[in-house]
Amino acid sequence: MDSITNEKASEGLTVLAIETSCDETSASVLSGGTTVLSNVVYSQIESHEKFGGVVPEVASRSHLQIAPKIVSDALIQAQVGQDEIDLVAATNGPGLIGPLLVGLSIGKSLAATWDKPFIGVNHVEGHMFAVSLEHQLEPPFVILLVAGGHTQIVHVKKYGDYEVLGSTIDDAAGEAYDKVARYLGLGYPGGPIIDRLAADGDPTKVRFPRAMPGDNLNFSFSGLKTAVINYVRKNPNVEVADIAASFQEAVADVLVTKTLRAAKSVGVETVCLGGGVAANSLLRSTLSAQSADQGLSCHLPAREYCTDNAAMIAAAATWRFNNFGPSPDDVGANPSASFAASE
Ligand code: KG4
Ligand code: ZN
């Protein structure tokens, strides 16, 4: 394997990264940790929406079909040849095992064929690095990571040193969006659909419960989902836009309240967002406004880097490789890889 000298690392690595942990097939070329030369994302939504959610085998087959072309497109768009790639990276967990194995196999094969180092990247750490693609961000900070598979408040003491301050005890925030949308017959994925509908709804129409279990920083969204379902059953003629807006209000309220409480509890001055739900309009505007009110600075990733994408994986790969070097040759996929244990 080529070893990357410190001199080369400080000039900036050029990384090819692959993300296939769920239902997006993505490849990106990133230079110097922040210059996105390409970020190609193919969404499999059409293949899954008739099932109302992601079907793992369908996702694996779809990744296998499309990923080689997505990788090739990312290199072509970046106008970068194999000689200019310093490092190959792929998400190796958490996620669906079949989809993870597809991206990992392609990444490891390219690295071996091109004689480049390879690194496996934790998907959740990738979401954390999305914000650093555009913002000079030095820890310590608190980041709310909210997606379809995870909801966590993390204290980033320094990169690689993470303390999970709170997590969901049942559904992830994105999962709650998807389940409510499914119940309302709105389609999949529910987050962007509810977000759009809510713009025309009245967020004060129904005051849904804000589950704040204890004084801790954990979340619970399952009761909120049930409350929405029960309300709609009892009030079948209610405007769907009002339900969307009222539901979204409750989710954003809980997420923002606990994130700011977490920042206060550990004494940091910066809060950030990451994950698919970080694309949500209300969550973004509420966190920005309330952070400013409390004298905290708030950094949000661009929407395109919130939902699954390989640019964020390349950013995490750059930091990890510069600090810890490549993964061992036998690195495999770990569907339940833990974020805090990833350092
Ligand atoms: O990060 P992501 O692409 O995949 C996971 O790692 O899970 O997140 C997908 C989740 C889905 O649950 C989707 O409904 C939600 O993010 N999402 C949103 C929005 N865009 C995507 N939720 C709320 N508002 C949005 N605008
Ligand atoms: Zn994700």
Side-chain angles (χ1 to χ4, degrees):
M1 293 281 157
D2 281 350
S3 69
I4 306 296
T5 64
N6 286 339
E7 198 182 326
K8 174 71 190 166
S10 62
E11 277 172 24
L13 291 174
T14 298
V15 183
L16 168 67
I18 302 168
E19 156 61 40
T20 59
S21 66
C22 190
D23 61 339
E24 262 92 26
T25 315
S26 181
S28 169
V29 179
L30 182 76
S31 183
T34 52
T35 305
V36 181
L37 300 177
S38 64
N39 183 37
V40 183
V41 183
Y42 171 79
S43 169
Q44 303 176 3
I45 285 172
E46 274 180 22
S47 313
H48 301 284
E49 63 185 351
K50 57 179 172 289
F51 303 107
V54 178
V55 180
E57 186 179 335
V58 174
S60 307
R61 290 177 187 276
S62 179
H63 284 303
L64 190 58
Q65 201 177 336
I66 197 83
K69 175 158 171 31
I70 297 298
V71 172
S72 152
D73 286 354
L75 290 165
I76 291 167
Q77 277 186 27
Q79 297 188 303
V80 157
Q82 70 182 69
D83 293 348
E84 292 153 280
I85 298 291
D86 301 310
L87 172 69
V88 181
T91 306
N92 71 330
L96 300 169
I97 184 67
L100 285 169
L101 287 172
V102 175
L104 206 51
S105 305
I106 294 173
K108 290 184 77 169
S109 302
L110 285 175
T113 309
W114 294 345
D115 196 21
K116 309 285 178 183
F118 175 83
I119 190 163
V121 175
N122 181 289
H123 181 78
V124 185
E125 189 171 50
H127 277 302
M128 191 187 91
F129 269 84
V131 68
S132 74
L133 285 165
E134 294 167 305
H135 301 273
Q136 275 290 346
L137 191 60
E138 279 310 316
F141 57 85
V142 156
I143 185 162
L144 172 67
L145 294 166
V146 262
H150 38 264
T151 297
Q152 291 178 327
I153 302 177
V154 180
H155 178 200
V156 179
K157 298 173 187 174
K158 52 186 187 170
Y159 287 117
D161 185 359
Y162 312 126
E163 184 187 5
V164 178
L165 300 173
S167 309
T168 182
I169 58 169
D170 42 53
D171 292 346
E175 195 179 350
Y177 265 97
D178 296 337
K179 286 179 173 170
V180 165
R182 188 172 175 174
Y183 176 75
L184 296 173
L186 299 174
Y188 174 85
I193 303 171
I194 289 183
D195 197 359
R196 273 196 303 277
L197 266 175
D200 298 322
D202 174 5
T204 64
K205 174 76 184 175
V206 191
R207 182 163 171 95
F208 287 121
R210 273 68 166 154
M212 305 264 186
D215 277 341
N216 60 41
L217 297 168
N218 290 332
F219 299 104
S220 166
F221 292 106
S222 153
L224 170 60
K225 173 195 67 194
T226 308
V228 172
I229 293 172
N230 288 341
Y231 185 90
V232 175
R233 272 197 193 127
K234 284 189 199 135
N235 303 274
N237 296 324
V238 65
E239 288 289 336
V240 180
D242 291 342
I243 294 298
S246 301
F247 163 75
Q248 180 153 286
E249 186 78 12
V251 175
D253 190 4
V254 176
L255 291 175
V256 170
T257 302
K258 293 227 164 178
T259 303
L260 296 179
R261 193 187 290 171
K264 205 169 170 191
S265 77
V266 294
V268 299
E269 290 172 0
T270 304
V271 294
C272 308
L273 270 184
V277 183
N280 185 259
S281 322
L282 185 70
L283 178 59
R284 295 169 76 88
S285 59
T286 311
L287 188 65
S288 299
Q290 294 194 17
S291 301
D293 288 348
Q294 300 195 15
L296 300 172
S297 61
C298 173
H299 296 294
L300 309 177
R303 282 194 163 86
E304 66 191 294
Y305 302 131
C306 291
T307 43
D308 290 349
N309 67 89
M312 68 183 196
I313 301 301
T318 303
W319 177 81
R320 215 157 248 291
F321 183 76
N322 282 337
N323 286 277
F324 300 106
S327 295
D329 284 349
D330 64 353
V331 62
N334 180 358
S336 54
S338 124
F339 170 51
S342 67
E343 65 267 36

